[in-house]
Amino acid sequence: MLIRLGYVAMSTVVKNASPSKTMTATNFSKLLDREAAIRKLQRIGAENLHNTLRLLKHNRAHDIMVFRFSSRFIPLIGHEMLGDWDPIPSLSAEFEELGSYAKQNNMRVSFHPDHFTVLSTARKDVLQKSVEDLERHSAMLNAMGLGMEAMCNIHVGGSYGDKIKSAKRFVQSFTAMRMPIQQRITLENDDKTFNALETLEIAEEVGAPMVLDVHHHAVNNNGEDAVELWPRIQETWLKRARLNLDDASSSLPPKIHVSSPKGETEPRSHADYVEVGPLYNFLKAIAPITPKLDIMIEAKMKDSALFKLMEDLKEQEGVTALNEASLQL
């Protein structure tokens, strides 16, 4: 099994390279010149995109081919104070440069919209804002010139007192979206509500690939074994490949999320680094039926956690390091 490691949004190694510098709504409202305030938001957005390009160059130097973009490139985008403001065209050069670099280096990049983006809600206003947020994420990927291989990962959402009805609302809301938005979405099990099996069943119904979060599964399950669920989870990716949406997306390997609990009293919180034992046991179990796998590390120490996990995995039986961020098991 060929395994590639990636990390989320920010680096603990590269200094002064935040991809999510912001301006609060309060500070924006204090600026009397609205046009000047909007130009400031755009400048911050341009800086965030520039810093993200710096991170991709850092990743390339260390063979890191899997990366999640920050969803906070552009401060206050979608905020009610800014109405129909669309800053993406004005940042087209920065988006294009970022996407070109990712494509030229065969990097797998993605988004994970914030927790308020939920399709299981019964509130029409929340649903509308959620769909608009997914549209914006897709628009940013389009501005980068990236195809359907660049995806947006979301959770099913809340149960709102009736998980069955919420699941049905999710399916209805999902299938009502434009097809290009549907095709960019992956579904992930969460740590409190929709577990791995429930998420898998919904992913199968709507035809979306499933991202298994092994940490979330450990703290939210009904006794299901993640290894036993894996053939069905992998099939959601194989089904997508058979759709042949474009050359890059048709060859996407499955992706999982990994992290470790912060402690016994905070089992859902993410630790600084990833404990190698549980992950290695899972990888060893699925290796015989899994040719390729991408792993997104959600540890607090970001790329530092990636480098440490690589060192720890290299010590395990049957593991061969191929470069600084990929290995063979």
Side-chain angles (χ1 to χ4, degrees):
M1 179 168 64
L2 173 63
I3 301 170
R4 301 187 302 178
L5 302 183
Y7 68 100
V8 175
M10 302 183 70
S11 171
T12 57
V13 175
V14 182
K15 303 304 179 186
N16 301 314
S18 171
S20 52
K21 294 181 180 180
T22 191
M23 178 194 294
T24 65
T26 299
N27 286 337
F28 177 85
S29 63
K30 290 178 181 178
L31 299 175
L32 300 180
D33 187 332
R34 181 178 176 83
E35 290 187 4
I38 288 176
R39 288 196 297 271
K40 184 173 182 179
L41 292 179
Q42 291 174 338
R43 286 196 299 271
I44 296 172
E47 184 178 357
N48 287 338
L49 290 166
H50 172 71
N51 282 341
T52 303
L53 182 59
R54 289 178 58 200
L55 294 181
L56 291 191
K57 291 179 178 180
H58 158 71
N59 293 350
R60 181 66 188 89
H62 295 282
D63 309 306
I64 300 170
M65 297 292 110
V66 181
F67 184 68
R68 181 193 300 166
F69 291 136
S70 168
S71 284
R72 299 175 182 174
F73 280 152
I74 305 172
L76 302 182
I77 187 171
H79 195 282
E80 57 188 14
M81 284 196 311
L82 287 153
D84 295 330
W85 176 57
D86 181 8
I88 296 175
S90 65
L91 295 169
S92 60
E94 288 85 355
F95 276 114
E96 184 177 354
E97 185 179 21
L98 186 60
S100 294
Y101 191 86
K103 285 192 295 184
Q104 289 167 5
N105 291 283
N106 298 313
M107 293 177 168
R108 180 178 189 172
V109 293
S110 61
F111 278 121
H112 193 340
D114 289 332
H115 64 277
F116 59 78
T117 301
V118 289
L119 300 182
S120 63
T121 179
R123 290 179 52 183
K124 292 183 179 180
D125 59 331
V126 174
L127 177 60
Q128 180 179 342
K129 289 180 180 179
S130 297
V131 173
E132 289 172 352
D133 189 49
L134 292 172
E135 290 274 3
R136 281 191 295 272
H137 280 82
S138 182
M140 288 190 284
L141 294 171
N142 290 338
M144 294 181 209
L146 299 175
M148 292 302 172
E149 76 282 359
M151 306 187 76
C152 295
N153 184 64
I154 63 173
H155 298 287
V156 175
S159 64
Y160 307 104
D162 191 324
K163 191 181 289 187
I164 293 175
K165 287 184 178 179
S166 293
K168 289 180 178 178
R169 279 198 302 270
F170 178 92
V171 172
Q172 291 169 352
S173 300
F174 185 99
T175 55
M177 291 190 299
R178 296 190 306 113
M179 185 56 68
I181 307 302
Q182 295 182 40
Q183 291 172 341
R184 284 207 187 271
I185 291 180
T186 59
L187 299 184
E188 175 195 353
N189 56 303
D190 67 64
D191 59 350
K192 291 183 179 180
T193 309
F194 285 91
N195 63 32
L197 178 56
E198 293 162 341
T199 302
L200 174 58
E201 290 171 344
I202 293 171
E204 291 171 334
E205 184 171 355
V206 300
M210 177 177 165
V211 173
L212 174 68
D213 188 306
V214 293
H215 181 182
H216 290 171
H217 176 70
V219 297
N220 180 26
N221 66 81
N222 288 322
E224 301 90 356
D225 186 337
V227 173
E228 292 180 2
L229 293 177
W230 182 251
R232 286 174 60 187
I233 294 172
Q234 183 170 229
E235 177 60 26
T236 65
W237 290 94
L238 296 173
K239 182 177 180 181
R240 176 184 172 83
R242 289 192 290 270
L243 292 175
N244 196 26
L245 299 173
D246 53 51
D247 290 341
S249 67
S250 65
S251 61
L252 282 179
K255 183 197 288 185
I256 65 171
H257 289 177
V258 302
S259 54
S260 295
K262 191 173 182 179
E264 291 185 6
T265 58
E266 299 179 84
R268 290 180 167 82
S269 299
H270 293 180
D272 287 345
Y273 298 95
V274 177
E275 183 183 355
V276 70
L279 173 61
Y280 172 69
N281 290 336
F282 175 76
L283 296 177
K284 187 168 61 173
I286 68 169
I289 64 166
T290 311
K292 296 180 180 180
L293 182 71
D294 287 343
I295 298 179
M296 183 64 71
I297 295 167
E298 296 189 317
K300 295 295 185 182
M301 288 301 290
K302 310 293 183 178
D303 46 350
S304 295
L306 183 154
F307 296 135
K308 183 179 186 304
L309 181 58
M310 270 298 298
E311 292 302 313
D312 290 343
L313 283 169
K314 283 159 56 175
E315 300 298 318
Q316 307 305 309
E317 182 180 357
V319 174
T320 302
L322 301 178
N323 52 44
E324 290 189 63
S326 64
L327 50 93
Q328 188 81 38
L329 173 59

